Every structure is written in structure tokens, then in C-alpha cells.
Amino acid sequence: MEEKRLSLRENLASLDRLQFLSVLALFFLGVASIFSAGAGFDGRGSGFAARQLLWGCLSAVAYLGVLQVGYARFLSWAYRIYAFALVLLFGVMVLGMTVKGSQSWFHLGFFRFQPAEFGKIALILVLAKHFCRYPPLTLPSFLGGLALAGISGWLVLVQPDAGSAMVYGAIAMVTVAVAGAPWKYPAGLIGLMMAAVPLGWQFLKEYQKMRIRVFLDPWVDPLGAGYNVIQSRIAVGSGGLLGKGFMEGLQSKLRFLPEPHTDFIFSVYCEEFGFIGAVGMLLLFGVLFWRLIETAMRTKDSRAKVLIAGISAWIWFQMAESIGMSMGLLPVTGLPLPLVSYGGSSLLALSVALALAQSVYISTLKTY
């Protein structure tokens, strides 16, 4: 007998409010930072912020739609969604537009769409379904699940978009662990990857090699590849304890900080709101992860556990990488700070993922 579906009003009343409020707070902190960062581009901050708010409205519609459909139905469509994502990832290499050396975008008139973001949702859904249908307890089933991640990850890597490909890898490793794979399989895979690093260096493009060099020492090329890292460090450090105040950051206003509204939004935020503001943002992310993990622990659906593990790995990896590269602690990859950086495709995809997580939370309420 099919379970009675809740109305949209009932779903909204049953939301995990702490998760929802933390997401909302991060989004509006992002809009404020985007507005400030864009002020250095001939006063275009209001335009960037307005477009982000528009994407926020579209994301809210998608959020409500996914919430009403429910995660279980999306899991039933997982293989079809994954196949469609592969078509998009292949299509963008043929028909996509090139931005900053990567052919990763479809230009659809008045907006651009990045299939790699949609691919993250598709990968999480298919791994959640696949690993619970074929548990990764044996080497063939372990490798079979990883092959799904490898196909989509390779299509992203050749665009080239190494940052997103790394996110796909993080999603695969966390989901396979949560699905119950013996520790020797992921440990062996990590060992093989580490052993292949010297060989992989030969296949990196020159700009990718330089990113690694400037991560180790940005003064190797202070006016070229190292410039971004140096200016970002200056922005973060100059914020001090309390920051310079909203709209008072000089690194973005004077155009010293490159890509302040996207790649280095955390640097803009730290310069204006300081160490205290940065801690506040990290606490909001902490609340979000706490609520996601709590939901995963409460649900009795093993597919839902893997689903939320994949979503958490996605958000955590991008958060850690974006903040780390802003502080010069990790190589620059161009990954956006989730919910905060300017970008419609990323915001829309995250909204769908978080709605799926909320759907799992609502389903757990019925069992208590």
C-alpha cells in the first residue's frame, strides 16, 4: 500500500528548521558579500547581487518541488537521472562555451548552465541506489560502484574542470565507506592514487603544475600565477579581529583581489567582517553539517544514509577547499564556496540536494 503523501504545507511545517535557517543565513551572507565584492567592478555589485537573488528565487521553487516529490521517488529515477547527466556532460564538450579555458558551460540565452553541478546530484543519487542494491562488500561490487563515479568524473576532468572532478572523487569515497565497504578497499585505492602521483604530474597542464608550485611558494611567480594567492592572503589577514566593516574592504574595491565575487568570496568576507565574522560563518556551516549527520543517523533507510553522506561530502569538500585556497592553505581550484559564492548553477544544484536531505528528515519524523 502506497504511503500517504504530505501536502506542501505539511512538508514545510515539518522542516528541520535549524538546517533551513543555517542555509538561509549563509545565502544572505553570500548576497551581501557579492554586493560588496562587485562594487569594485564599476559599481556592478547591485547587478551581481540582484542576479544571485533571482537565482535564489528559482532555487526556492526547485527546493519546494523536490521537497514535494520526495527523495524516494528521485532514488527510483536514479539510473535515468545519471544517464541524462552523462548526456549533458558529453554534450557540453561538443556544444558548450569556453570560459577561462574550460568548456564547461551551456549558454542558454540570458543565463549559463554548468552540467557538472547537476552531475553531482545525479552521482549521489545513483551511488545511493547502486551501493544499497549491490553492497561494496566484494572487490567487483566495490569497483563497479566506483566505475559509475569514474565515468562522470572523467567527463568533467577532460573539460577540463579538475576542481569539480575532485568533488566527484570525494563523493565516491565517502559514499562507498558509508555503504559498508571493507576498509582495505578504499585504503588500497588511496594508496594506488598516492603511488600514481609522480606519473600523474606528467599529464598535468602547465597552468595546473604552476598552481601546485605557487601553493608551495606563491612568490615563485608573484605577478603571475602566485598573484591570486598573495592578494587573497592579504585580504584575509587585513580583516583582523573585527574586520574593516561592510563595503570597506580595499582588496576587492581597488581590484587587487581577482574574482572576488566567485573564487575568493571568503577573502572579501574576512576582510570586512574579520576573524569573528569568519568564525560565525564556520559555525553556520557546522550547524548545517550537524543537522545533515543527525538526519543520516536517524533514518532507517540505508539508501538515505548514503544519499546524505554524499551531499555532506560535496558541501564539506567544497567548503574546505574554497576556504583553504583563500588562506593559501590549499591549491587554487576555482571551486565556489557553497551557498555563498556567486553562481546560479551551483546554488540551484545545492538547493535540490538540500531539499532531498530535508525530505529524508521529514520521512524520519513518521517513524518516531
Side-chain angles (χ1 to χ4, degrees):
M1 182 177 179
E2 187 176 352
E3 188 177 4
K4 181 181 179 295
R5 293 175 60 189
L6 299 178
S7 68
L8 181 58
R9 179 175 293 182
E10 289 172 323
N11 277 324
L12 291 175
S14 303
L15 286 177
D16 183 342
R17 290 179 175 81
L18 280 176
Q19 184 201 130
F20 181 76
L21 290 175
S22 64
V23 168
L24 208 60
L26 286 167
F27 170 71
F28 282 110
L29 282 177
V31 171
S33 298
I34 290 166
F35 178 82
S36 179
F41 290 86
D42 301 321
R44 291 165 58 192
S46 57
F48 288 141
R51 283 194 290 274
Q52 188 73 352
L53 285 171
L54 176 59
W55 274 107
C57 293
L58 294 174
S59 298
V61 172
Y63 187 95
L64 295 175
V66 172
L67 197 66
Q68 189 62 15
V69 172
Y71 82 93
R73 187 166 296 184
F74 276 94
L75 282 171
S76 70
W77 302 332
Y79 287 109
R80 282 172 282 180
I81 293 173
Y82 175 75
F84 181 60
L86 292 184
V87 171
L88 289 177
L89 290 172
F90 181 79
V92 77
M93 293 191 295
V94 179
L95 303 172
M97 64 181 297
T98 301
V99 179
K100 299 176 185 177
S102 296
Q103 194 168 343
S104 307
W105 304 83
F106 283 121
H107 186 62
L108 304 175
F110 63 93
F111 72 95
R112 298 183 302 187
F113 172 67
Q114 189 176 17
E117 296 295 333
F118 174 75
K120 295 170 188 175
I121 301 171
L123 177 61
I124 291 169
L125 286 169
V126 78
L127 289 180
K129 184 168 184 174
H130 185 83
F131 279 139
C132 292
R133 179 176 290 182
Y134 308 103
L137 303 178
T138 64
L139 186 58
S141 59
F142 171 77
L143 294 177
L146 289 187
L148 292 170
I151 294 169
S152 56
W154 178 80
L155 288 173
V156 172
L157 185 62
V158 297
Q159 292 179 6
D161 185 355
S164 292
M166 291 167 65
V167 177
Y168 280 51
I171 290 170
M173 294 302 292
V174 171
T175 53
V176 76
V178 173
W183 66 268
K184 61 183 178 181
Y185 293 153
L189 180 61
I190 293 173
L192 286 174
M193 292 169 60
M194 295 297 292
V197 167
L199 178 63
W201 177 263
Q202 306 301 321
F203 293 94
L204 292 179
K205 296 183 181 297
E206 190 56 38
Y207 78 91
Q208 293 172 326
K209 293 180 179 180
M210 183 55 71
R211 282 183 174 181
I212 296 175
R213 293 190 186 104
V214 299
F215 159 63
L216 298 173
D217 181 10
W219 295 100
V220 168
D221 188 12
L223 298 179
Y227 180 83
N228 295 4
V229 177
I230 293 170
Q231 297 303 322
S232 180
R233 284 181 175 180
I234 292 172
V236 172
S238 64
L241 182 64
L242 299 175
K244 296 179 178 178
F246 180 58
M247 298 291 291
E248 298 299 325
L250 296 180
Q251 287 296 104
S252 60
K253 304 301 179 298
L254 299 180
R255 306 286 295 272
F256 290 118
L257 187 64
E259 306 299 335
H261 59 308
T262 54
D263 296 358
F264 293 100
I265 192 71
F266 186 73
S267 305
V268 175
Y269 178 82
C270 284
E271 185 178 19
E272 298 188 352
F273 296 98
F275 177 77
I276 298 299
V279 169
M281 179 176 285
L282 291 175
L283 286 175
L284 288 172
F285 275 113
V287 171
L288 174 58
F289 292 130
W290 164 46
R291 299 313 303 159
L292 288 173
I293 293 170
E294 179 72 14
T295 300
M297 293 179 67
R298 289 179 59 178
T299 183
K300 298 177 181 179
D301 187 345
S302 57
R303 300 172 307 165
K305 290 182 185 293
V306 178
L307 175 71
I308 293 183
I311 294 170
S312 301
W314 167 11
I315 298 174
W316 180 86
F317 186 88
Q318 285 199 194
M319 179 206 70
E321 169 58 28
S322 181
I323 291 175
M325 73 180 189
S326 295
M327 300 174 66
L329 301 176
L330 292 171
V332 175
T333 59
L335 286 173
L337 183 59
L339 302 168
V340 180
S341 291
Y342 176 79
S345 297
S346 175
L347 181 62
L348 183 60
L350 285 165
S351 298
V352 170
L354 291 167
L356 290 171
Q358 284 280 16
S359 178
V360 174
Y361 175 82
I362 292 169
S363 73
T364 65
L365 296 180
K366 302 175 186 177
T367 63
Y368 282 82

